[in-house]
Amino acid sequence: MIRILVVCMGNICRSPMASSALQGLLDQRQLTHRFEVDSAGTYAGHQGEKADPRALAVATARGYAAIHMERARRVVTNDFQRFDLILAMDRDNLMHLEHQCPPQYRHKLHLYLVYAGVTGTTEVPDPYHGSAEGFESVMRLCEAGALGVVQRLTMEDAGE
Protein backbone atom coordinates (compact mmCIF):
# COMPACT_ATOMS: atom_id res chain seq x y z
CA MET A 1 0.00 0.00 0.00
CA ILE A 2 1.24 3.47 -0.91
CA ARG A 3 0.34 6.16 1.61
CA ILE A 4 -0.02 9.75 0.35
CA LEU A 5 -0.36 12.86 2.53
CA VAL A 6 -1.43 16.13 0.89
CA VAL A 7 -0.53 19.27 2.84
CA CYS A 8 -1.58 22.92 2.79
CA MET A 9 -1.59 25.53 5.54
CA GLY A 10 -4.92 25.18 7.35
CA ASN A 11 -6.15 21.86 5.95
CA ILE A 12 -9.59 23.29 5.17
CA CYS A 13 -9.28 24.21 1.46
CA ARG A 14 -6.53 22.97 -0.84
CA SER A 15 -5.36 19.76 0.82
CA PRO A 16 -8.85 18.33 1.44
CA MET A 17 -9.80 19.26 -2.13
CA ALA A 18 -6.70 17.51 -3.51
CA SER A 19 -7.20 14.55 -1.19
CA SER A 20 -10.82 14.15 -2.29
CA ALA A 21 -9.85 14.43 -5.97
CA LEU A 22 -7.19 11.75 -5.45
CA GLN A 23 -9.61 9.52 -3.58
CA GLY A 24 -12.28 10.02 -6.25
CA LEU A 25 -9.88 9.04 -9.02
CA LEU A 26 -8.67 6.00 -7.08
CA ASP A 27 -12.30 4.96 -6.50
CA GLN A 28 -13.09 5.40 -10.19
CA ARG A 29 -10.09 3.29 -11.23
CA GLN A 30 -10.73 0.70 -8.51
CA LEU A 31 -7.29 1.30 -6.95
CA THR A 32 -8.32 2.05 -3.37
CA HIS A 33 -6.82 -1.23 -2.16
CA ARG A 34 -3.37 0.00 -3.27
CA PHE A 35 -3.44 3.54 -1.88
CA GLU A 36 -4.25 5.44 1.30
CA VAL A 37 -4.82 9.19 1.03
CA ASP A 38 -4.98 11.74 3.84
CA SER A 39 -4.53 15.47 4.24
CA ALA A 40 -3.08 17.74 6.91
CA GLY A 41 -1.95 21.31 7.48
CA THR A 42 1.17 23.05 8.70
CA TYR A 43 -0.93 25.44 10.82
CA ALA A 44 -2.94 24.33 13.84
CA GLY A 45 -5.58 27.08 13.80
CA HIS A 46 -8.36 25.01 12.19
CA GLN A 47 -7.84 21.65 13.90
CA GLY A 48 -11.02 19.59 14.08
CA GLU A 49 -12.93 21.78 11.63
CA LYS A 50 -14.61 20.52 8.48
CA ALA A 51 -13.45 21.80 5.11
CA ASP A 52 -14.37 25.34 4.11
CA PRO A 53 -17.99 25.42 2.83
CA ARG A 54 -16.80 26.67 -0.57
CA ALA A 55 -14.37 23.73 -0.86
CA LEU A 56 -17.16 21.36 0.19
CA ALA A 57 -19.49 22.81 -2.46
CA VAL A 58 -16.96 22.48 -5.28
CA ALA A 59 -15.95 18.94 -4.30
CA THR A 60 -19.55 17.82 -3.78
CA ALA A 61 -20.57 19.19 -7.18
CA ARG A 62 -17.96 16.89 -8.70
CA GLY A 63 -19.10 13.88 -6.69
CA TYR A 64 -16.16 13.76 -4.28
CA ALA A 65 -17.80 12.48 -1.10
CA ALA A 66 -14.51 11.86 0.74
CA ILE A 67 -14.13 15.57 1.56
CA HIS A 68 -17.09 15.34 3.95
CA MET A 69 -15.23 12.78 6.08
CA GLU A 70 -12.16 14.94 6.63
CA ARG A 71 -11.45 17.07 9.67
CA ALA A 72 -8.57 19.53 9.73
CA ARG A 73 -5.46 18.33 11.49
CA ARG A 74 -1.88 19.43 11.77
CA VAL A 75 1.06 17.46 10.41
CA VAL A 76 2.68 15.47 13.23
CA THR A 77 6.17 13.97 13.38
CA ASN A 78 4.84 10.43 12.90
CA ASP A 79 3.41 11.45 9.50
CA PHE A 80 6.93 11.62 8.04
CA GLN A 81 7.51 7.97 8.86
CA ARG A 82 3.98 6.73 8.14
CA PHE A 83 3.45 8.24 4.68
CA ASP A 84 5.41 7.26 1.58
CA LEU A 85 4.74 10.52 -0.23
CA ILE A 86 4.08 13.96 1.27
CA LEU A 87 2.87 16.54 -1.24
CA ALA A 88 2.79 20.23 -0.37
CA MET A 89 0.47 22.62 -2.17
CA ASP A 90 3.02 25.45 -2.28
CA ARG A 91 6.62 26.36 -1.50
CA ASP A 92 5.82 27.94 1.89
CA ASN A 93 4.23 24.74 3.14
CA LEU A 94 7.03 22.66 1.62
CA MET A 95 9.52 24.81 3.54
CA HIS A 96 7.59 24.26 6.79
CA LEU A 97 7.59 20.53 6.15
CA GLU A 98 11.33 20.52 5.41
CA HIS A 99 12.01 22.23 8.75
CA GLN A 100 9.83 19.77 10.65
CA CYS A 101 10.83 16.60 8.79
CA PRO A 102 13.58 14.33 10.15
CA PRO A 103 16.45 14.20 7.61
CA GLN A 104 15.94 10.52 6.76
CA TYR A 105 12.42 11.23 5.43
CA ARG A 106 13.03 14.41 3.41
CA HIS A 107 13.09 12.43 0.16
CA LYS A 108 9.32 11.96 0.60
CA LEU A 109 8.59 15.72 0.36
CA HIS A 110 7.52 17.24 -2.96
CA LEU A 111 5.38 19.98 -4.43
CA TYR A 112 2.05 18.43 -5.46
CA LEU A 113 1.90 19.82 -9.00
CA VAL A 114 5.61 19.30 -9.71
CA TYR A 115 5.47 15.67 -8.56
CA ALA A 116 2.33 15.19 -10.66
CA GLY A 117 4.02 16.59 -13.76
CA VAL A 118 1.48 19.38 -14.24
CA THR A 119 2.91 22.06 -16.51
CA GLY A 120 2.32 25.79 -16.41
CA THR A 121 2.42 26.27 -12.64
CA THR A 122 4.22 24.73 -9.68
CA GLU A 123 1.93 25.80 -6.85
CA VAL A 124 -1.74 25.52 -5.98
CA PRO A 125 -2.82 29.01 -4.84
CA ASP A 126 -4.71 29.44 -1.59
CA PRO A 127 -8.34 30.30 -2.44
CA TYR A 128 -9.38 31.06 1.16
CA HIS A 129 -9.55 34.86 0.86
CA GLY A 130 -10.93 34.82 -2.68
CA SER A 131 -14.11 34.11 -4.58
CA ALA A 132 -15.98 30.93 -5.43
CA GLU A 133 -14.26 30.99 -8.84
CA GLY A 134 -10.94 30.71 -7.01
CA PHE A 135 -12.14 27.43 -5.50
CA GLU A 136 -13.19 26.19 -8.95
CA SER A 137 -9.75 27.03 -10.32
CA VAL A 138 -8.03 25.31 -7.40
CA MET A 139 -10.18 22.20 -7.86
CA ARG A 140 -9.16 22.02 -11.51
CA LEU A 141 -5.50 22.12 -10.44
CA CYS A 142 -6.15 19.50 -7.75
CA GLU A 143 -7.80 17.22 -10.32
CA ALA A 144 -4.94 17.65 -12.79
CA GLY A 145 -2.52 16.89 -9.98
CA ALA A 146 -4.50 13.83 -8.89
CA LEU A 147 -4.39 12.45 -12.41
CA GLY A 148 -0.64 13.02 -12.64
CA VAL A 149 0.07 11.51 -9.22
CA VAL A 150 -1.98 8.38 -9.92
CA GLN A 151 -0.46 7.94 -13.38
CA ARG A 152 3.05 8.34 -12.00
CA LEU A 153 2.55 5.98 -9.09
CA THR A 154 0.80 3.29 -11.11
CA MET A 155 3.56 3.41 -13.74
CA GLU A 156 6.25 3.24 -11.02
CA ASP A 157 4.39 0.40 -9.34
CA ALA A 158 4.22 -1.45 -12.67
CA GLY A 159 7.98 -1.03 -13.05
CA GLU A 160 7.81 1.29 -16.04
Side-chain angles (χ1 to χ4, degrees), residues 67-94:
I67 196 167
H68 293 280
M69 307 302 285
E70 294 198 32
R71 295 285 183 161
R73 72 176 188 87
R74 188 172 184 185
V75 173
V76 294
T77 303
N78 185 51
D79 288 333
F80 298 107
Q81 179 181 355
R82 181 169 176 253
F83 288 92
D84 302 299
L85 187 58
I86 302 170
L87 302 173
M89 294 285 107
D90 60 39
R91 283 186 175 78
D92 286 341
N93 285 294
L94 181 60

Side-chain angles (χ1 to χ4, degrees), residues 49-66:
E49 293 180 22
K50 287 187 173 191
D52 183 286
R54 297 164 294 177
L56 286 169
V58 168
T60 300
R62 285 172 164 75
Y64 301 137

Side-chain angles (χ1 to χ4, degrees), residues 3-152:
R3 291 177 175 85
I4 305 166
L5 182 65
V6 187
V7 180
C8 68
M9 189 170 95
N11 192 215
I12 60 168
C13 296
R14 294 173 289 174
S15 56
M17 290 169 72
S19 174
S20 68
L22 271 167
Q23 191 63 55
L25 185 58
L26 294 168
D27 290 344
Q28 178 186 37
R29 294 191 176 184
Q30 299 180 344
L31 293 170
T32 55
H33 64 286
R34 293 176 49 197
F35 295 91
E36 177 185 329
V37 180
D38 195 5
S39 68
T42 58
Y43 170 71
H46 294 287
Q47 285 197 135
E49 293 180 22
K50 287 187 173 191
D52 183 286
R54 297 164 294 177
L56 286 169
V58 168
T60 300
R62 285 172 164 75
Y64 301 137
I67 196 167
H68 293 280
M69 307 302 285
E70 294 198 32
R71 295 285 183 161
R73 72 176 188 87
R74 188 172 184 185
V75 173
V76 294
T77 303
N78 185 51
D79 288 333
F80 298 107
Q81 179 181 355
R82 181 169 176 253
F83 288 92
D84 302 299
L85 187 58
I86 302 170
L87 302 173
M89 294 285 107
D90 60 39
R91 283 186 175 78
D92 286 341
N93 285 294
L94 181 60
M95 183 186 68
H96 287 290
L97 290 168
E98 288 169 344
H99 283 85
Q100 187 180 356
C101 184
Q104 68 268 30
Y105 300 121
R106 287 204 181 119
H107 66 280
K108 299 178 178 188
L109 306 177
H110 303 275
L111 283 172
Y112 179 73
L113 295 178
V114 172
Y115 185 86
V118 174
T119 57
T121 187
T122 59
E123 298 182 295
V124 178
D126 190 348
Y128 185 74
H129 294 290
S131 67
E133 177 51 39
F135 280 83
E136 287 286 342
S137 176
V138 164
M139 182 53 90
R140 287 190 296 273
L141 285 173
C142 289
E143 290 172 326
L147 181 60
V149 168
V150 170
Q151 286 177 337
R152 180 173 179 173

